[in-house]
Amino acid sequence: MNTYSFIKTLAAQMLMPLPLCLGLLVVGLLLRNRWRRLGNGCALFALLLLVLFSWAPVADRLLAPFESAYPPLHNWPQGQTVDAVMVLGGGYQPHQPWVLTGQLSDSSANRLLEGLRLWHLNPDARLIVSGSSGDADVVPMAQAYANIAQDMQVPASQLHVLDTPTDTGQEARAAARLLGEGSSLLLVTSASHMPRAIQHFRQAGLTPIAAPTHYLALRDSASSLGYWVPAARHLHKSERAIYEALGLLAARWE
C-alpha cells in the first residue's frame, strides 16, 4: 500500500461515526479537568451525535441520496451497444473455511448475483469480474467471482478476470485497457457506491450504464418500532453515507 492509499484509508476510518464520536467523548472527558462546562458539553454532543447516526430517520436521510442517484436497471438496455457487464469487487473472506458463496460479503454477493442476472439477459456479452486479494498467496476476489460464475453456467470464454485492481479507480482504468476508450458497459455495484464508481469510470474514458444493487436505506417501515430505536444497522448506513461522501471528494484528486 502506497502512502496516499494509507492516508486515504486512515482518514476514512477515523472519520467514521463511531471513532469520531468516541474521539469527541474522550476530548470532552479530558476537558472536564480544567473546563468542566465545556467538557460536559463536548461529551454530551458526542453521545447525541452517536445516537443520531444510529437512528433510522437520520441514517436513511444521509444514505438515500447516494442510493437513489441512479435508477435500478430492470432490463437489458435497448437500442444501445453494450460491450460487457462488469461486477466490482467488495468484501471477501478467503481465509475462512466456508463455502465460496459464504466467503463473499453481503454487498459482494448482491453484486455478483445482479451481474449474473444481467448477463443471462444477454449471454453474448462479456462478463468482467474484478477485485484483488492483497496477498499473493490468496485467491483474488475476482477469481472467486469467476469460479461462482462458471458454476452458474457462464462459459470461461465469456469471462474476463481483473485480479489486480485494489480500488474503484484502478478497476475503472483496468476496464478501459481491456475494452478500449469510449466502450460502454453495465456497471454493477452497491447503490451507495454507484455515484463514485460512475465518476471513476467516466474519468477513465468509458461510458458506464449504472446497474445498482444492495440497497440499505429505507428498508424499515416508519410504522415499525425498529425504525425509531437506535441500532447498529442504522449506524452502518450512516457510515456508508460518510464513506461515500469522502470517496467522492477524494475521486476529484485521483
Side-chain angles (χ1 to χ4, degrees):
M1 180 182 293
N2 59 39
T3 303
Y4 173 71
S5 297
F6 175 76
I7 293 174
K8 183 174 69 172
T9 301
L10 179 63
Q13 292 301 318
M14 295 306 296
L15 292 174
M16 288 299 100
L18 187 56
L20 178 64
C21 292
L22 289 177
L24 287 173
L25 180 60
V26 170
V27 170
L29 294 176
L30 293 175
L31 287 175
R32 290 181 78 250
N33 294 327
R34 296 191 63 180
W35 298 285
R36 187 177 185 84
R37 182 172 296 180
L38 178 61
N40 287 340
C42 185
L44 182 61
F45 175 72
L47 292 174
L48 178 61
L49 197 61
L50 183 59
V51 169
L52 289 175
F53 279 137
S54 306
W55 195 42
V58 172
D60 283 355
R61 192 172 291 268
L62 290 173
L63 187 59
F66 291 95
E67 294 194 338
S68 61
Y70 293 91
L73 185 66
H74 296 288
N75 301 300
W76 190 269
Q78 298 299 312
Q80 299 184 59
T81 300
V82 178
D83 298 295
V85 177
M86 182 166 180
V87 181
L88 299 190
Y92 176 46
Q93 297 290 328
H95 295 290
Q96 297 295 346
W98 304 329
V99 296
L100 195 53
T101 52
Q103 291 177 351
L104 302 182
S105 68
D106 289 346
S107 63
S108 298
N110 272 263
R111 294 176 188 188
L112 181 58
L113 180 62
E114 179 62 9
L116 291 171
R117 183 188 74 83
L118 290 170
W119 180 84
H120 277 287
L121 294 177
N122 184 6
D124 293 329
R126 288 184 280 183
L127 178 62
I128 304 172
V129 290
S130 67
S132 69
S133 66
D135 186 338
D137 297 324
V138 175
V139 176
M141 176 165 204
Q143 189 59 56
Y145 272 163
N147 292 341
I148 296 172
Q150 287 183 277
D151 287 343
M152 298 297 177
Q153 309 307 311
V154 179
S157 60
Q158 297 297 98
L159 271 171
H160 294 270
V161 179
L162 303 179
D163 58 8
T164 58
T166 59
D167 59 29
T168 310
Q170 291 183 19
E171 289 176 314
R173 292 187 288 274
R177 288 192 295 270
L178 174 66
L179 298 174
E181 188 173 346
S183 298
S184 178
L185 75 165
L186 302 188
L187 184 60
V188 183
T189 189
S190 300
S192 61
H193 181 232
M194 188 60 74
R196 180 158 58 101
I198 290 289
Q199 183 171 323
H200 277 295
F201 275 74
R202 286 175 177 167
Q203 288 173 344
L206 295 168
T207 304
I209 299 172
T213 186
H214 189 234
Y215 294 85
L216 297 177
L218 307 177
R219 286 190 172 274
D220 292 87
S221 170
S223 62
S224 67
L225 181 62
Y227 182 80
W228 300 101
V229 177
R233 71 179 186 279
H234 303 316
L235 180 62
H236 176 59
K237 290 185 281 189
S238 295
E239 288 177 341
R240 291 306 311 163
I242 294 172
Y243 186 85
E244 290 304 329
L246 293 172
L248 280 170
L249 184 63
R252 298 178 181 178
W253 306 328
E254 296 178 354

Coordinates of all heavy atoms in Angstrom, one line a residue, residues 27-100:
V27 N -12.2 13.6 24.3 CA -11.8 15.0 24.4 C -12.6 15.7 25.5 O -12.1 16.5 26.3 CB -11.9 15.7 23.0 CG1 -11.8 17.2 23.2 CG2 -10.9 15.2 22.1
G28 N -13.9 15.4 25.4 CA -14.8 16.1 26.4 C -14.5 15.7 27.9 O -14.4 16.5 28.8
L29 N -14.2 14.4 28.1 CA -13.8 13.9 29.4 C -12.5 14.5 29.9 O -12.3 14.9 31.1 CB -13.7 12.4 29.4 CG -15.0 11.6 29.2 CD1 -14.8 10.1 29.1 CD2 -16.0 12.0 30.3
L30 N -11.5 14.7 28.9 CA -10.2 15.3 29.3 C -10.4 16.8 29.6 O -9.8 17.4 30.5 CB -9.2 15.2 28.1 CG -8.8 13.7 27.9 CD1 -7.9 13.7 26.6 CD2 -8.0 13.2 29.1
L31 N -11.3 17.5 28.9 CA -11.5 18.9 29.1 C -12.2 19.2 30.5 O -12.1 20.3 31.0 CB -12.4 19.5 28.0 CG -11.8 19.7 26.6 CD1 -12.8 20.1 25.6 CD2 -10.6 20.7 26.7
R32 N -12.9 18.2 31.0 CA -13.6 18.4 32.3 C -12.7 18.7 33.4 O -13.1 19.3 34.4 CB -14.5 17.2 32.6 CG -15.7 16.9 31.7 CD -16.5 15.7 32.1 NE -17.3 16.0 33.3 CZ -17.1 15.5 34.4 NH1 -16.1 14.7 34.7 NH2 -17.9 15.7 35.4
N33 N -11.4 18.3 33.3 CA -10.5 18.6 34.4 C -10.2 20.1 34.6 O -10.0 20.5 35.7 CB -9.1 17.8 34.1 CG -9.3 16.3 34.1 OD1 -10.1 15.8 34.8 ND2 -8.5 15.6 33.2
R34 N -10.3 20.8 33.5 CA -10.0 22.3 33.6 C -11.2 23.1 33.2 O -11.4 24.2 33.8 CB -8.8 22.6 32.7 CG -7.5 22.0 33.1 CD -6.3 22.6 32.4 NE -6.1 24.0 32.7 CZ -5.1 24.7 32.2 NH1 -4.3 24.2 31.4 NH2 -5.0 26.0 32.5
W35 N -12.0 22.7 32.2 CA -13.1 23.5 31.8 C -14.3 22.5 31.8 O -14.7 21.9 30.9 CB -12.9 24.0 30.4 CG -11.7 24.9 30.3 CD1 -11.7 26.2 30.7 CD2 -10.4 24.6 29.7 NE1 -10.4 26.7 30.4 CE2 -9.7 25.7 29.8 CE3 -9.9 23.4 29.1 CZ2 -8.3 25.8 29.3 CZ3 -8.6 23.5 28.7 CH2 -7.8 24.6 28.8
R36 N -14.9 22.4 33.0 CA -16.0 21.4 33.3 C -17.1 21.6 32.3 O -17.6 20.6 31.8 CB -16.4 21.5 34.7 CG -17.4 20.4 35.1 CD -17.7 20.5 36.6 NE -18.6 19.4 37.0 CZ -18.1 18.3 37.4 NH1 -16.8 18.0 37.4 NH2 -18.9 17.3 37.8
R37 N -17.6 22.8 32.2 CA -18.8 23.1 31.4 C -18.5 22.7 29.9 O -19.3 22.1 29.2 CB -19.3 24.5 31.5 CG -20.5 24.8 30.7 CD -21.1 26.2 31.0 NE -21.5 26.3 32.4 CZ -21.9 27.4 33.0 NH1 -22.1 28.5 32.2 NH2 -22.3 27.5 34.2
L38 N -17.4 23.1 29.4 CA -17.0 22.8 28.0 C -16.8 21.3 27.8 O -17.3 20.8 26.8 CB -15.7 23.6 27.7 CG -15.1 23.3 26.2 CD1 -16.2 23.8 25.2 CD2 -13.8 24.0 26.1
G39 N -16.2 20.7 28.8 CA -16.0 19.2 28.7 C -17.3 18.5 28.7 O -17.5 17.5 27.9
N40 N -18.2 18.9 29.6 CA -19.5 18.2 29.6 C -20.3 18.4 28.3 O -21.0 17.5 27.8 CB -20.4 18.8 30.8 CG -19.9 18.3 32.1 OD1 -19.2 17.3 32.2 ND2 -20.2 19.0 33.2
G41 N -20.2 19.6 27.8 CA -20.9 19.9 26.5 C -20.4 19.1 25.3 O -21.1 18.6 24.5
C42 N -19.0 19.0 25.3 CA -18.4 18.2 24.2 C -18.8 16.7 24.4 O -19.1 16.0 23.4 CB -16.9 18.3 24.3 SG -16.0 17.5 23.0
A43 N -18.8 16.2 25.6 CA -19.1 14.8 25.8 C -20.6 14.5 25.5 O -21.0 13.5 24.8 CB -18.9 14.4 27.3
L44 N -21.5 15.5 25.9 CA -22.9 15.3 25.6 C -23.1 15.4 24.1 O -24.0 14.6 23.5 CB -23.7 16.4 26.3 CG -25.2 16.4 26.1 CD1 -25.8 15.1 26.7 CD2 -25.9 17.6 26.8
F45 N -22.4 16.3 23.4 CA -22.6 16.4 21.9 C -22.2 15.1 21.3 O -22.8 14.6 20.3 CB -21.7 17.6 21.4 CG -21.7 17.7 19.9 CD1 -22.8 18.1 19.2 CD2 -20.6 17.3 19.2 CE1 -22.8 18.2 17.9 CE2 -20.5 17.4 17.8 CZ -21.7 17.9 17.1
A46 N -21.1 14.5 21.7 CA -20.6 13.2 21.2 C -21.6 12.1 21.3 O -21.9 11.4 20.3 CB -19.3 12.8 21.8
L47 N -22.2 12.0 22.5 CA -23.3 11.0 22.7 C -24.5 11.2 21.8 O -25.1 10.3 21.3 CB -23.6 10.9 24.2 CG -22.5 10.4 25.1 CD1 -23.0 10.6 26.6 CD2 -22.2 9.0 24.8
L48 N -24.9 12.5 21.8 CA -26.1 12.8 20.9 C -25.8 12.5 19.5 O -26.7 12.0 18.8 CB -26.4 14.3 21.1 CG -27.6 14.9 20.3 CD1 -28.9 14.2 20.7 CD2 -27.7 16.4 20.5
L49 N -24.6 12.9 19.0 CA -24.3 12.6 17.6 C -24.3 11.1 17.3 O -24.8 10.7 16.3 CB -22.9 13.2 17.3 CG -22.5 13.4 15.9 CD1 -23.4 14.4 15.2 CD2 -21.0 13.9 15.8
L50 N -23.8 10.3 18.2 CA -23.8 8.9 18.1 C -25.2 8.3 18.0 O -25.5 7.4 17.2 CB -23.0 8.2 19.2 CG -22.8 6.7 19.1 CD1 -22.1 6.3 17.8 CD2 -22.1 6.1 20.3
V51 N -26.1 8.8 18.8 CA -27.5 8.4 18.8 C -28.1 8.7 17.5 O -28.8 7.9 16.9 CB -28.2 9.0 20.0 CG1 -29.7 8.8 19.8 CG2 -27.8 8.4 21.3
L52 N -27.9 10.0 17.0 CA -28.5 10.4 15.7 C -28.0 9.6 14.6 O -28.7 9.2 13.7 CB -28.2 11.9 15.5 CG -28.9 12.9 16.4 CD1 -28.4 14.3 16.2 CD2 -30.4 12.8 16.2
F53 N -26.7 9.3 14.5 CA -26.1 8.4 13.5 C -26.7 7.0 13.5 O -26.8 6.3 12.5 CB -24.6 8.3 13.6 CG -23.9 9.5 13.0 CD1 -22.8 10.1 13.7 CD2 -24.2 10.1 11.8 CE1 -22.1 11.2 13.2 CE2 -23.5 11.2 11.3 CZ -22.5 11.7 12.0
S54 N -27.2 6.6 14.7 CA -27.7 5.2 14.8 C -29.2 5.2 14.7 O -29.8 4.2 15.0 CB -27.3 4.7 16.2 OG -25.9 4.7 16.4
W55 N -29.8 6.3 14.3 CA -31.3 6.4 14.3 C -31.7 6.4 12.8 O -31.2 7.2 12.0 CB -31.7 7.8 15.0 CG -33.1 7.9 15.4 CD1 -33.9 7.0 15.9 CD2 -33.9 9.1 15.2 NE1 -35.2 7.5 16.1 CE2 -35.2 8.8 15.7 CE3 -33.6 10.4 14.8 CZ2 -36.2 9.8 15.8 CZ3 -34.6 11.4 14.8 CH2 -35.9 11.1 15.3
A56 N -32.7 5.6 12.5 CA -33.1 5.4 11.1 C -33.5 6.7 10.4 O -33.1 6.9 9.2 CB -34.2 4.3 11.0
P57 N -34.3 7.6 11.0 CA -34.7 8.8 10.3 C -33.5 9.6 9.8 O -33.5 10.2 8.7 CB -35.5 9.6 11.3 CG -36.1 8.5 12.2 CD -35.0 7.5 12.3
V58 N -32.4 9.6 10.6 CA -31.2 10.3 10.2 C -30.4 9.5 9.2 O -29.9 10.0 8.2 CB -30.4 10.7 11.4 CG1 -29.0 11.3 11.0 CG2 -31.1 11.7 12.3
A59 N -30.1 8.3 9.6 CA -29.3 7.4 8.7 C -29.9 7.2 7.3 O -29.1 7.3 6.3 CB -29.1 6.0 9.4
D60 N -31.2 7.0 7.2 CA -31.8 6.9 5.9 C -31.7 8.2 5.1 O -31.5 8.2 3.9 CB -33.2 6.5 6.0 CG -33.4 5.0 6.3 OD1 -32.4 4.3 6.4 OD2 -34.5 4.6 6.6
R61 N -31.9 9.3 5.8 CA -31.8 10.6 5.1 C -30.4 10.9 4.6 O -30.2 11.5 3.5 CB -32.2 11.7 6.0 CG -32.5 13.1 5.4 CD -33.1 14.0 6.3 NE -34.4 13.6 6.7 CZ -35.5 14.1 6.1 NH1 -35.4 14.9 5.0 NH2 -36.7 13.7 6.4
L62 N -29.4 10.4 5.3 CA -28.0 10.5 4.8 C -27.7 9.6 3.6 O -27.0 10.1 2.7 CB -27.0 10.2 6.0 CG -27.0 11.2 7.1 CD1 -26.1 10.7 8.3 CD2 -26.4 12.6 6.7
L63 N -28.1 8.4 3.7 CA -27.7 7.4 2.7 C -28.6 7.4 1.4 O -28.1 7.2 0.3 CB -27.7 6.0 3.3 CG -27.2 4.9 2.4 CD1 -25.7 5.1 2.1 CD2 -27.3 3.5 3.2
A64 N -29.9 7.7 1.6 CA -30.8 7.6 0.5 C -30.4 8.4 -0.8 O -30.6 7.9 -1.9 CB -32.2 7.9 0.9
P65 N -29.9 9.6 -0.6 CA -29.5 10.4 -1.8 C -28.4 9.7 -2.6 O -28.4 9.8 -3.9 CB -28.9 11.7 -1.2 CG -29.6 11.9 0.1 CD -29.8 10.5 0.6
F66 N -27.5 8.9 -2.0 CA -26.5 8.2 -2.7 C -27.1 7.0 -3.5 O -26.8 6.7 -4.6 CB -25.4 7.7 -1.8 CG -24.5 8.8 -1.2 CD1 -24.8 9.3 0.0 CD2 -23.4 9.2 -1.9 CE1 -24.0 10.3 0.6 CE2 -22.6 10.2 -1.4 CZ -22.9 10.8 -0.1
E67 N -28.0 6.3 -2.8 CA -28.6 5.1 -3.3 C -29.6 5.4 -4.4 O -29.9 4.5 -5.3 CB -29.3 4.3 -2.2 CG -28.3 3.7 -1.2 CD -28.9 2.6 -0.4 OE1 -30.1 2.6 -0.2 OE2 -28.1 1.8 0.2
S68 N -30.2 6.6 -4.4 CA -31.2 6.9 -5.4 C -30.7 7.8 -6.6 O -31.4 8.3 -7.4 CB -32.4 7.7 -4.7 OG -31.9 8.9 -4.1
A69 N -29.4 8.0 -6.6 CA -28.8 8.8 -7.6 C -29.0 8.2 -9.0 O -29.0 9.0 -10.0 CB -27.3 9.0 -7.4
Y70 N -29.0 6.9 -9.1 CA -29.2 6.2 -10.4 C -30.4 5.2 -10.2 O -30.4 4.5 -9.2 CB -27.9 5.5 -10.8 CG -26.8 6.5 -11.2 CD1 -25.9 6.9 -10.2 CD2 -26.7 7.0 -12.5 CE1 -24.9 7.8 -10.5 CE2 -25.7 8.0 -12.8 CZ -24.8 8.3 -11.8 OH -23.9 9.3 -12.1
P71 N -31.3 5.1 -11.2 CA -32.4 4.2 -11.1 C -32.0 2.8 -11.3 O -30.9 2.5 -11.9 CB -33.3 4.7 -12.2 CG -32.4 5.2 -13.2 CD -31.3 5.9 -12.4
P72 N -32.7 1.8 -10.7 CA -32.4 0.4 -10.9 C -32.6 0.0 -12.4 O -33.4 0.6 -13.1 CB -33.4 -0.3 -10.0 CG -34.5 0.7 -9.9 CD -33.9 2.0 -9.9
L73 N -31.7 -0.9 -12.8 CA -31.8 -1.4 -14.2 C -32.5 -2.7 -14.2 O -31.9 -3.8 -14.0 CB -30.4 -1.5 -14.8 CG -30.2 -1.8 -16.2 CD1 -30.8 -0.7 -17.1 CD2 -28.8 -2.1 -16.6
H74 N -33.8 -2.7 -14.6 CA -34.6 -3.9 -14.6 C -34.3 -4.8 -15.8 O -34.4 -6.1 -15.7 CB -36.0 -3.6 -14.4 CG -36.4 -2.9 -13.2 ND1 -36.4 -3.5 -11.9 CD2 -36.7 -1.6 -12.9 CE1 -36.8 -2.7 -11.0 NE2 -37.0 -1.5 -11.6
N75 N -34.1 -4.2 -16.9 CA -33.9 -5.0 -18.2 C -32.7 -4.6 -18.9 O -32.1 -3.5 -18.6 CB -35.2 -4.8 -19.1 CG -36.5 -5.2 -18.4 OD1 -36.6 -6.4 -18.0 ND2 -37.4 -4.2 -18.2
W76 N -32.3 -5.4 -19.9 CA -31.1 -5.1 -20.7 C -31.4 -3.8 -21.5 O -32.5 -3.7 -22.1 CB -30.8 -6.2 -21.6 CG -29.5 -6.1 -22.3 CD1 -29.3 -5.5 -23.5 CD2 -28.2 -6.5 -21.8 NE1 -27.9 -5.5 -23.8 CE2 -27.3 -6.1 -22.8 CE3 -27.8 -7.1 -20.7 CZ2 -25.9 -6.3 -22.7 CZ3 -26.4 -7.4 -20.5 CH2 -25.5 -7.0 -21.5
P77 N -30.5 -2.8 -21.6 CA -30.8 -1.6 -22.3 C -31.1 -1.9 -23.8 O -30.3 -2.6 -24.4 CB -29.5 -0.8 -22.1 CG -28.8 -1.4 -20.9 CD -29.2 -2.8 -20.9
Q78 N -32.1 -1.3 -24.3 CA -32.5 -1.5 -25.7 C -31.9 -0.3 -26.5 O -31.9 0.8 -26.1 CB -34.0 -1.6 -25.9 CG -34.6 -2.8 -25.1 CD -34.1 -4.1 -25.6 OE1 -34.0 -4.4 -26.8 NE2 -33.7 -5.0 -24.7
G79 N -31.5 -0.6 -27.7 CA -31.0 0.4 -28.6 C -29.7 0.9 -28.3 O -29.3 2.0 -28.8
Q80 N -28.9 0.3 -27.4 CA -27.6 0.7 -27.0 C -26.6 -0.4 -27.2 O -26.9 -1.6 -27.0 CB -27.6 1.2 -25.6 CG -28.5 2.3 -25.2 CD -28.3 2.8 -23.8 OE1 -27.2 3.1 -23.4 NE2 -29.4 2.7 -23.0
T81 N -25.4 -0.1 -27.7 CA -24.3 -1.0 -27.8 C -23.6 -1.2 -26.4 O -23.1 -0.2 -25.9 CB -23.3 -0.6 -28.8 OG1 -24.0 -0.5 -30.1 CG2 -22.2 -1.6 -29.0
V82 N -23.7 -2.4 -25.9 CA -23.1 -2.6 -24.6 C -22.0 -3.7 -24.7 O -22.3 -4.8 -25.2 CB -24.2 -3.1 -23.5 CG1 -23.5 -3.4 -22.2 CG2 -25.2 -2.0 -23.3
D83 N -20.8 -3.4 -24.4 CA -19.7 -4.3 -24.6 C -19.6 -5.3 -23.5 O -19.0 -6.4 -23.8 CB -18.4 -3.5 -24.7 CG -18.4 -2.5 -25.9 OD1 -18.5 -3.0 -27.0 OD2 -18.4 -1.3 -25.6
A84 N -20.0 -5.0 -22.3 CA -19.8 -6.0 -21.2 C -20.6 -5.7 -20.0 O -21.2 -4.6 -19.9 CB -18.3 -6.0 -20.8
V85 N -20.7 -6.6 -19.1 CA -21.3 -6.4 -17.8 C -20.1 -6.5 -16.8 O -19.3 -7.5 -16.9 CB -22.3 -7.5 -17.4 CG1 -22.8 -7.3 -15.9 CG2 -23.5 -7.5 -18.3
M86 N -19.9 -5.5 -16.0 CA -18.8 -5.6 -15.0 C -19.2 -5.5 -13.6 O -20.0 -4.6 -13.2 CB -17.8 -4.4 -15.3 CG -16.6 -4.4 -14.4 SD -15.3 -3.3 -14.9 CE -14.0 -3.6 -13.7
V87 N -18.8 -6.5 -12.8 CA -19.1 -6.6 -11.4 C -17.9 -6.1 -10.6 O -16.8 -6.7 -10.7 CB -19.5 -8.0 -11.0 CG1 -19.8 -8.1 -9.5 CG2 -20.6 -8.5 -11.9
L88 N -18.0 -5.1 -9.8 CA -16.9 -4.6 -9.0 C -16.7 -5.4 -7.7 O -17.7 -6.0 -7.2 CB -17.2 -3.1 -8.6 CG -17.3 -2.1 -9.7 CD1 -17.3 -0.7 -9.1 CD2 -16.2 -2.3 -10.7
G89 N -15.5 -5.4 -7.3 CA -15.2 -6.2 -6.1 C -15.7 -5.6 -4.8 O -16.1 -4.4 -4.8
G90 N -15.7 -6.4 -3.7 CA -16.2 -5.9 -2.4 C -15.6 -6.7 -1.3 O -14.4 -7.2 -1.4
G91 N -16.3 -6.9 -0.2 CA -15.8 -7.6 0.9 C -15.7 -9.1 0.6 O -16.5 -9.7 -0.1
Y92 N -14.6 -9.7 1.2 CA -14.3 -11.1 0.8 C -13.4 -11.7 1.9 O -12.5 -11.1 2.5 CB -13.5 -11.1 -0.5 CG -12.9 -12.4 -1.0 CD1 -13.7 -13.5 -1.1 CD2 -11.6 -12.4 -1.5 CE1 -13.1 -14.7 -1.6 CE2 -11.1 -13.6 -2.1 CZ -11.9 -14.7 -2.1 OH -11.3 -15.9 -2.6
Q93 N -13.8 -12.9 2.4 CA -13.1 -13.6 3.5 C -12.5 -14.9 3.0 O -13.0 -16.0 3.3 CB -14.1 -13.8 4.6 CG -14.6 -12.6 5.3 CD -13.6 -11.8 6.0 OE1 -12.7 -12.4 6.6 NE2 -13.7 -10.5 6.0
P94 N -11.4 -14.9 2.2 CA -10.9 -16.1 1.6 C -10.2 -17.0 2.6 O -10.0 -18.2 2.3 CB -9.8 -15.6 0.6 CG -9.4 -14.2 1.2 CD -10.7 -13.7 1.8
H95 N -9.8 -16.5 3.8 CA -9.1 -17.3 4.8 C -10.1 -18.2 5.6 O -9.6 -19.2 6.3 CB -8.3 -16.5 5.8 CG -7.2 -15.7 5.1 ND1 -6.1 -16.3 4.7 CD2 -7.1 -14.4 4.9 CE1 -5.3 -15.4 4.1 NE2 -5.9 -14.2 4.3
Q96 N -11.4 -18.0 5.5 CA -12.3 -18.7 6.3 C -12.7 -20.1 5.5 O -12.7 -20.1 4.3 CB -13.6 -17.9 6.5 CG -13.4 -16.7 7.3 CD -13.0 -16.9 8.7 OE1 -13.1 -18.1 9.2 NE2 -12.6 -15.9 9.4
P97 N -12.9 -21.1 6.3 CA -13.1 -22.5 5.7 C -14.6 -22.6 5.3 O -15.2 -23.7 5.6 CB -12.7 -23.4 6.8 CG -13.0 -22.7 8.1 CD -12.7 -21.2 7.8
W98 N -15.2 -21.6 4.7 CA -16.6 -21.6 4.3 C -16.7 -22.0 2.9 O -15.8 -22.0 2.1 CB -17.2 -20.3 4.6 CG -17.1 -19.8 6.0 CD1 -17.0 -20.6 7.2 CD2 -17.0 -18.4 6.5 NE1 -16.8 -19.8 8.3 CE2 -16.8 -18.5 7.9 CE3 -17.0 -17.2 5.9 CZ2 -16.7 -17.3 8.7 CZ3 -16.9 -16.0 6.6 CH2 -16.7 -16.1 8.0
V99 N -18.0 -22.2 2.4 CA -18.2 -22.4 1.0 C -17.9 -21.1 0.3 O -17.9 -20.0 1.0 CB -19.7 -22.8 0.8 CG1 -19.9 -24.2 1.3 CG2 -20.7 -21.8 1.3
L100 N -17.7 -21.1 -1.0 CA -17.2 -19.9 -1.7 C -18.2 -18.8 -1.6 O -17.9 -17.6 -1.4 CB -17.0 -20.3 -3.2 CG -16.2 -19.3 -4.0 CD1 -14.9 -18.9 -3.3 CD2 -15.9 -19.9 -5.4

